[in-house]
Amino acid sequence: MKIGFVLPYASVNYFGGINVQGRMWRDGLESLGHEVFLLNTWDKFDYKSMDYVVILGQGLLVKEMIPLYSQFPSLKIVSAPIIDWHKSFLSFKLRSKYFGWQRGGFVKPLHELYLAKNKISFFLARSEFEKRYIVEGLGVDPEKVSIVPISVRIDNPPVVDVSKKENFCFHVSRLADPGKNVGRLIAAAKKYRFNLKLGGTVNGESLTWLSSQISDAPNIEYVGRLSDEELFKYYQRAKVFALPSFVEGVGMVALESAVYGSEIVLTNIGAPKEYYDGRAVLVNPSDIDSIGKGVLEAMTSKNAQPELRDHILNNYSMQACSKQLENAFISHL
């Protein structure tokens, strides 16, 4: 098959989650023998010979892309909308169906996706949670939605000795992003006195905010922005990885840390818990006590490893997820 991937918005972030997902899908499909293109407006592409074009995420350019791609009768349009919704389901339905009029000079992307749904061959969802929003929120036939989970990006899984884990909780993210809920994680570490190491990018006002949150707590350390090599070393060392987010589609960093043998503390909101088959400690991200007690449980009495690691490698390896993606395309030929 010949498949193109395109972003429906402007982006300068090479490491953005959707960009990473697109490159992972490309690599996985190419490993299965398919021809894959990351589409742009500068290079020449033979759209007439392509089987599919996949629009990754939501964006205002959907409105322009759909009629352009529809010029090619053999080209099927696919949407992977990446829905990380944390507000009410009713608000999602209302914004999708009705709240698309001009406001401040732009049209809401969800409404553009709603208007274009009948011109889309099928949809790709990362979870049952996301599929529900596509089916019930956008009004899409469930037969037109294929679930394809995101794979971990670890090609050669390390040998793991959980007995050598160090007694600290690790977290890495865009630390000042309110959706990542780092402030409550820090507060939980102060109250329940567990060792916490934080990695990720912060600068300027964000760094000032983080410093004020940590204050002089001796059990909390900001370890800086980490290269992949450094990140994997922290995964290898950490007894626990915590991701008590308000907004999280999958939580790739938690999956990666689990492959390195960490116990996982996870938000009870949304789709991420689907990937763990009951082997993660779920917490209420609004409740500092829930987060703190969850980390202590994972630190002292939770023994999901190494079964959790095996579960993720068996179900969410690049090979396994790429095969599911391939099957989704084949089933809609």
Side-chain angles (χ1 to χ4, degrees):
M1 291 182 290
K2 293 184 178 181
I3 303 163
F5 290 95
V6 66
L7 300 177
Y9 52 82
S11 174
V12 295
N13 186 358
Y14 180 81
F15 296 103
I18 297 177
N19 304 58
V20 171
Q21 178 177 331
R23 293 193 296 271
M24 289 172 64
W25 277 1
R26 173 199 61 190
D27 295 345
L29 289 169
E30 286 181 344
S31 73
L32 295 173
H34 303 289
E35 195 171 354
V36 184
F37 310 91
L38 300 183
L39 302 175
N40 60 61
T41 56
W42 294 102
D43 296 317
K44 184 178 180 180
F45 299 100
D46 183 7
Y47 291 98
K48 291 181 180 179
S49 71
M50 288 187 196
D51 298 295
Y52 296 102
V53 59
V54 181
I55 301 175
L56 273 172
Q58 307 163 38
L60 300 179
L61 295 182
V62 169
K63 183 179 181 180
E64 284 73 32
M65 287 177 169
I66 295 294
L68 287 175
Y69 294 136
S70 296
Q71 297 178 69
F72 307 99
S74 63
L75 181 62
K76 293 182 173 65
I77 301 170
V78 181
S79 171
I82 319 296
I83 299 170
D84 298 340
W85 196 260
H86 63 287
K87 299 178 182 178
S88 72
F89 185 73
L90 177 60
S91 69
F92 180 89
K93 294 183 70 172
L94 291 174
R95 291 189 187 207
S96 300
K97 189 171 183 178
Y98 298 114
F99 296 167
W101 55 77
Q102 294 280 104
R103 285 184 175 179
F106 63 91
V107 178
K108 299 293 185 182
L110 273 177
H111 187 62
E112 292 299 341
L113 192 59
Y114 176 85
L115 294 175
K117 64 181 178 181
N118 292 330
K119 298 179 181 178
I120 293 171
S121 176
F122 69 97
F123 290 76
L124 294 168
R126 299 165 298 170
S127 61
E128 290 285 355
F129 177 88
E130 192 167 72
K131 180 175 180 177
R132 182 198 172 203
Y133 278 81
I134 295 170
V135 172
E136 299 180 31
L138 296 176
V140 174
D141 183 342
E143 295 297 317
K144 290 180 61 176
V145 185
S146 295
I147 296 178
V148 178
I150 301 301
S151 66
V152 292
R153 55 181 184 139
I154 300 170
D155 297 325
N156 300 303
V159 175
V160 172
D161 185 349
V162 294
S163 68
K164 294 183 179 179
K165 287 288 189 177
E166 299 177 32
N167 196 39
F168 69 85
C169 175
F170 182 46
H171 172 89
V172 62
S173 69
R174 300 182 304 276
L175 296 171
D177 183 337
K180 299 302 180 184
N181 201 29
V182 174
R184 285 185 177 83
L185 179 59
I186 291 172
K190 288 180 177 179
K191 183 172 181 178
Y192 288 87
R193 300 182 180 179
F194 58 82
N195 293 322
L196 174 64
K197 296 185 187 298
L198 301 167
T201 303
V202 287
N203 49 54
E205 292 183 3
S206 298
L207 183 57
T208 301
W209 170 83
L210 182 64
S211 297
S212 68
Q213 292 290 306
I214 296 174
S215 186
D216 57 353
N219 59 320
I220 305 174
E221 179 185 7
Y222 171 55
V223 298
R225 180 175 181 176
L226 304 171
S227 66
D228 280 348
E229 182 179 1
E230 293 169 327
L231 179 62
F232 294 153
K233 287 180 179 178
Y234 273 101
Y235 289 156
Q236 187 93 39
R237 294 169 54 197
K239 169 70 174 175
V240 175
F241 188 96
L243 195 68
S245 311
F246 286 113
V247 184
E248 200 70 62
V250 173
M252 180 62 66
V253 285
L255 287 173
E256 290 176 349
S257 197
V259 170
Y260 277 80
S262 302
E263 300 288 344
I264 303 301
V265 174
L266 196 68
T267 178
N268 64 7
I269 294 176
K273 56 184 177 288
E274 293 183 26
Y275 283 69
Y276 293 84
D277 193 32
R279 293 182 173 91
V281 178
L282 301 184
V283 298
N284 176 358
S286 298
D287 186 347
I288 291 170
D289 291 314
S290 178
I291 296 169
K293 291 176 182 177
V295 172
L296 289 185
E297 178 186 347
M299 200 80 75
T300 59
S301 61
K302 184 69 173 178
N303 295 297
Q305 296 289 5
E307 288 80 9
L308 174 56
R309 175 181 185 273
D310 295 339
H311 167 74
I312 291 171
L313 290 175
N314 289 336
N315 292 279
Y316 307 116
S317 66
M318 175 73 81
Q319 182 180 11
C321 293
S322 297
K323 193 64 182 175
Q324 289 188 59
L325 181 59
E326 178 188 54
N327 290 339
F329 288 117
I330 292 172
S331 67
H332 291 280
L333 273 175

